[in-house]
Amino acid sequence: MVFKGSEQVKPDLIEGQELTVKIEGLNHQGEGVGRIAGQTVFVPGSLPEETVRVRVTKIKKRWIHGQLIEVVQASPHRIVPACAHYASCGGCALQHLTYTEQLRWKQITVQEALRRIGRLPEVLVHPTLGMTEPWRYRNKVELHVGLQDKTVDLGYYQRGSHQLVSFRDCHLIPESWLGIIQEIRNGLQQFFKLKLENGNYDPVNGVKTREGFPVKQVWLRQSFFTGEMMVVW
């Protein structure tokens, strides 16, 4: 920050520039939030109490988006994520934060929403109730279908992109779903093979005919009460 007389003059920022930022909080998407040059900076993968090096990827009038390059000073609540796909996958956002601290920040997020948006600063927000085992709890998942080198796969998109990240395990869904998802992969692969044999799909140019490969997403939802599962194509 440059001072000119009694005024603060914001330095010019450009995309690709590297900055050192002190992270002070989290937003509702799990991104670290800091401030630089009088503007709010959002940094996925960073945590409160951390000092990080970031590369500016997007500049707006009121905020900046940055890519985490290096954690200069780590939070005492930072942990190694349980999932091997976590660094590239966009399926979840806070596996690098201890579960106790996740619950605390959920409480803070509600308090801040009531204060800033609802203008209700005096509302009591109780601590977030946690789970005994905070894994395998989802009863719904939306998977994207991807095609590469004539191979059909299922997975999540990388955060902020349409790049498919395939997985063979996801710690947020029941283990019993993994075999079902693999059966769906196999079925889609056989379906696509038939389309190739019938000349309904051009794998080089990606040109689809009216009878081409139509599946973009697969949704799974299960009732934990009845055990019934619904698959939506």
Side-chain angles (χ1 to χ4, degrees):
M1 186 73 71
V2 180
F3 290 87
K4 182 179 180 181
S6 60
E7 297 181 353
Q8 292 184 356
V9 180
K10 296 179 181 178
D12 293 330
L13 297 175
I14 59 173
E15 292 185 4
Q17 182 176 352
E18 294 187 7
L19 305 167
T20 299
V21 182
K22 177 69 174 180
I23 303 299
E24 301 169 353
L26 292 171
N27 68 6
H28 66 283
Q29 294 179 316
E31 299 173 331
V33 181
R35 292 190 68 80
I36 190 75
Q39 290 179 290
T40 301
V41 186
F42 300 111
V43 186
S46 64
L47 295 174
E49 304 179 58
E50 292 190 332
T51 301
V52 297
R53 290 285 296 172
V54 303
R55 181 178 293 111
V56 177
T57 57
K58 186 179 295 184
I59 300 174
K60 297 294 183 180
K61 183 176 181 180
R62 296 181 179 273
W63 55 268
I64 302 168
H65 207 269
Q67 177 187 7
L68 179 65
I69 300 173
E70 177 190 6
V71 179
V72 179
Q73 183 176 350
S75 163
H77 305 292
R78 177 177 284 273
I79 58 174
V80 177
C83 178
H85 306 288
Y86 179 70
S88 59
C89 179
C92 56
L94 284 174
Q95 278 197 33
H96 58 300
L97 182 63
T98 63
Y99 184 54
T100 301
E101 195 67 4
Q102 288 183 38
L103 297 178
R104 191 176 77 86
W105 273 100
K106 287 181 180 181
Q107 179 187 10
I108 292 173
T109 299
V110 175
Q111 289 173 332
E112 286 298 298
L114 291 171
R115 182 182 65 82
R116 291 186 297 103
I117 302 173
R119 301 182 185 276
L120 300 169
E122 304 301 325
V123 175
L124 175 63
V125 177
H126 293 283
T128 309
L129 298 177
M131 295 177 283
T132 303
E133 179 60 35
W135 301 108
R136 310 289 183 187
Y137 58 85
R138 284 189 177 171
N139 72 336
K140 175 189 175 185
V141 67
E142 299 179 11
L143 300 176
H144 299 281
V145 180
L147 178 65
Q148 185 173 8
D149 298 329
K150 299 184 182 180
T151 300
V152 180
D153 210 341
L154 293 174
Y156 301 112
Y157 279 157
Q158 282 186 2
R159 182 183 293 271
S161 80
H162 288 86
Q163 182 66 41
L164 189 76
V165 178
S166 178
F167 65 87
R168 292 302 178 265
D169 191 11
C170 173
H171 294 267
L172 302 187
I173 64 176
E175 287 187 86
S176 60
W177 290 21
L178 300 175
I180 297 171
I181 292 172
Q182 187 57 47
E183 286 296 319
I184 294 173
R185 282 192 183 97
N186 296 340
L188 289 173
Q189 186 64 47
Q190 290 299 315
F191 178 74
F192 180 63
K193 182 180 178 181
L194 289 174
K195 292 300 180 184
L196 283 176
E197 293 173 351
N198 294 333
N200 297 132
Y201 196 95
D202 181 351
V204 176
N205 300 312
V207 177
K208 288 172 262 189
T209 70
R210 187 164 55 88
E211 298 297 326
F213 192 69
V215 183
K216 299 297 183 184
Q217 288 184 318
V218 176
W219 297 2
L220 283 77
R221 185 193 296 269
Q222 185 175 33
S223 167
F224 289 155
F225 180 70
T226 66
E228 294 177 304
M229 174 172 282
M230 176 173 64
V231 179
V232 181
W233 308 86

